[in-house]
Amino acid sequence: MFTQVKELYASLGVDVELALAAMAKTPISLHCWQGDDVVGFETGAGALGSGLAVTGNYPGKARSIDELRQDLEQVLSLLPGAHRLNLHAIYGDFGGEAVDRDAIELKHFQGWIDWAKQQGIGMDFNPSNFSHPLADDGLTLSSPDEGKRDFWIEHCKRSRKIAAAMGEQLGSAAVTNVWIPDGMKDMPADRQSYRQRLSDSLDEVFSEKLDTAHNIDAVECKLFGIGSESMVVGSHEFYMGYAMKNQTALCLDAGHFHPTEGIADKISSVLMYVPELLLHVSRGVRWDSDHVVLFDDQTQQIMQELVRCDALPRTHIGLDFFDASINRIAAWAIGTRAAQKSLLLALLEPREKLRAAELSGDYTTRLALLEQAKSLPWSVVWEEFCKRNNVPGEMALLDSVKSYEASVLSGRH
Ligand code: RNT
Ligand code: ZN
């Protein structure tokens, strides 16, 4: 069947093997925080805060680094293609010691780097400016309190250096993404001062030049959060301006805009002026920005734009969702595979035909081709991709998840 499908696509000017080769070399960065509901491994780790909320109490959550690695290995065994690990600073190996955020060191992450090397994957990193007593008032890098600002600046500086070491050791640059929760529940009287302080703090964080072969800096905006409904200091305009001026990467999280606003259309604009893009592929539902990614219009449009703009070489694809109301391994695998299926569909688009129709003003043909592409047998190509990578196809995925639940997760109490 695959051979026939290949011929069908060839008749439309699409080279299926080229699409599969592109799939194989496009890594998706797996966010570690789906595995344990964004808790991490700090000694005495407390409740999730700073506007981040996880719903659900599905049994089997990873309670230790070993369990999280075991789960990640399981997830990796369910995913075709290339992957990376995206780690938050709170997931270090602190050996039972109380290591505050302004004291993290490379040694706390060496175990993760060694594990990643063993898995043959790269890593990405994030300072964790949330769920901490010094973030409880909702302000970190933009705080009017100099002591608090300095604490979070130090945390971010150390995070970049740790990430650079990860990148160097693994031979693949780590993207360090700065997201902060800073904002106001109610109307601020002086928005400007927060933004000025954030800009100054970021300048300080990024003041040490690091080799971009090892570390790539990214900044992530948000429209509103829980508890920051009236103002988010790091808004889209703020970070787009900052990233353009300082030529950092810009992170677009699919759940961080107005509920009807997608990020797909932003890609071609933003890449005119910033060197690189980081995506947090996610799914916003009303006020929550982090539902499990689906093979839906939004995700497909994002991937279409990456392919159509030839933006893959300048884009780092990461994920950002967390759901504790279902099996966490399933959430990870289903969400990541949905992003990958969307990318595959985009790569299988009859691009040349679409462009030719558009250029000649034949929008009727363009619309017809787009509709036709949706019902072409792309899923046969997906199954082939899974088969070549020795991972379960769509029909076998759930069984794999359930058997891991029965043999491993159900024993965690
Ligand atoms: C929060 C941001 C951020 C976090 C993670 C945990 O709204 O999306 O990316 O989800 O860093
Ligand atoms: Zn995000």
Side-chain angles (χ1 to χ4, degrees):
M1 182 146 64
F2 177 65
T3 315
Q4 282 160 305
V5 168
K6 228 158 89 165
E7 280 163 16
L8 174 63
Y9 274 107
S11 74
L12 296 165
V14 178
D15 185 331
V16 169
E17 290 299 339
L18 273 186
L20 287 175
M23 285 297 290
K25 67 167 201 210
T26 305
I28 310 281
S29 195
L30 292 179
H31 54 312
C32 70
W33 52 94
Q34 165 59 57
D36 76 329
D37 313 341
V38 211
V39 176
F41 302 118
E42 286 180 319
T43 309
L48 187 59
S50 309
L52 301 174
V54 176
T55 305
N57 194 21
Y58 198 88
K61 147 163 97 179
R63 299 157 303 177
S64 65
I65 293 187
D66 284 345
E67 286 183 356
L68 189 61
R69 284 188 196 145
Q70 186 184 19
D71 290 355
L72 279 161
E73 284 170 26
Q74 175 64 16
V75 172
L76 287 168
S77 79
L78 302 175
L79 301 175
H83 300 280
R84 303 172 63 85
L85 171 69
N86 190 12
L87 207 66
H88 246 289
I90 49 176
Y91 286 78
D93 186 353
F94 303 112
E97 274 174 54
V99 179
D100 211 344
R101 308 269 170 100
D102 63 344
I104 55 167
E105 292 176 47
L106 176 58
K107 67 175 184 201
H108 302 124
F109 300 91
Q110 191 58 49
W112 279 112
I113 302 175
D114 297 342
W115 177 84
K117 198 175 268 171
Q118 215 178 32
Q119 300 293 318
I121 63 178
M123 285 183 76
D124 299 304
F125 200 59
N126 308 259
S128 310
N129 292 40
F130 54 80
S131 306
H132 186 282
L134 292 181
D136 275 352
D137 63 358
L139 296 168
T140 66
L141 293 179
S142 74
S143 171
D145 180 330
E146 193 183 350
K148 284 187 188 170
R149 281 203 311 278
D150 286 347
F151 175 87
W152 291 112
I153 288 170
E154 182 63 23
H155 176 58
C156 291
K157 282 185 166 181
R158 284 172 180 250
S159 295
R160 290 178 76 228
K161 286 211 202 159
I162 291 166
M166 285 172 174
E168 188 170 8
Q169 287 189 40
L170 296 170
S172 164
V175 180
T176 305
N177 181 49
V178 176
W179 172 76
I180 60 167
D182 297 34
M184 292 260 149
K185 178 185 174 70
D186 227 326
M187 292 304 176
D190 181 10
R191 291 169 193 261
Q192 178 61 45
S193 69
Y194 295 95
R195 296 196 161 121
Q196 186 60 56
R197 282 190 296 270
L198 175 54
S199 180
D200 294 345
S201 293
L202 289 170
D203 287 351
E204 180 65 33
V205 166
F206 299 135
S207 58
E208 183 176 347
K209 291 285 158 249
L210 299 175
D211 190 341
T212 51
H214 303 148
N215 174 70
I216 295 165
D217 295 307
V219 287
E220 179 181 6
C221 73
K222 194 167 181 171
L223 176 63
F224 73 93
I226 299 167
S228 59
E229 291 85 0
S230 297
M231 173 190 66
V232 166
V233 183
S235 60
H236 180 47
E237 290 72 14
F238 177 90
Y239 277 129
M240 195 163 74
Y242 192 88
M244 282 177 188
K245 182 174 170 207
N246 298 288
Q247 292 296 290
T248 68
L250 184 69
C251 174
L252 296 175
D253 183 311
H256 282 192
F257 293 85
H258 188 278
T260 62
E261 186 178 2
I263 62 168
D265 180 55
K266 303 180 191 305
I267 293 168
S268 51
S269 296
V270 159
L271 276 178
M272 302 266 304
Y273 306 109
V274 301
E276 285 177 90
L277 208 57
L278 168 64
L279 296 184
H280 273 188
V281 183
S282 187
R283 176 168 53 108
V285 177
R286 300 193 189 274
W287 56 82
D288 178 61
S289 64
D290 302 290
H291 275 54
V292 177
V293 169
L294 299 179
F295 182 64
D296 58 7
D297 287 354
Q298 289 258 5
T299 313
Q300 290 171 28
Q301 282 161 7
I302 292 168
M303 298 303 170
Q304 278 169 358
E305 282 305 310
L306 292 184
V307 174
R308 292 176 186 176
C309 302
D310 198 16
L312 285 172
R314 289 206 283 151
T315 305
H316 306 270
I317 306 178
L319 305 162
D320 188 9
F321 53 80
F322 26 99
D323 192 339
S325 70
I326 60 172
N327 179 308
R328 292 173 186 78
I329 309 293
W332 247 330
I334 291 169
T336 311
R337 287 167 66 113
Q340 290 185 290
K341 282 187 273 183
S342 301
L343 178 59
L344 177 62
L345 185 64
L347 288 163
L348 291 173
E349 214 174 53
R351 222 162 20 256
E352 298 315 319
K353 278 182 179 288
L354 279 164
R355 285 196 181 178
E358 181 165 296
L359 257 185
S360 68
D362 185 356
Y363 302 154
T364 311
T365 298
R366 182 182 64 184
L367 185 65
L369 284 173
L370 281 173
E371 279 302 284
Q372 191 188 69
K374 291 180 189 167
S375 56
L376 289 174
W378 62 270
S379 65
V380 173
V381 184
W382 171 250
E383 292 297 327
E384 174 71 14
F385 188 51
C386 290
K387 200 168 99 192
R388 289 186 190 182
N389 283 271
N390 287 316
V391 305
E394 289 300 290
M395 300 306 278
L397 180 65
L398 190 58
D399 278 350
S400 303
V401 167
K402 294 276 185 194
S403 81
Y404 184 75
E405 177 167 302
S407 63
V408 178
L409 300 184
S410 65
R412 294 180 188 168
H413 299 293

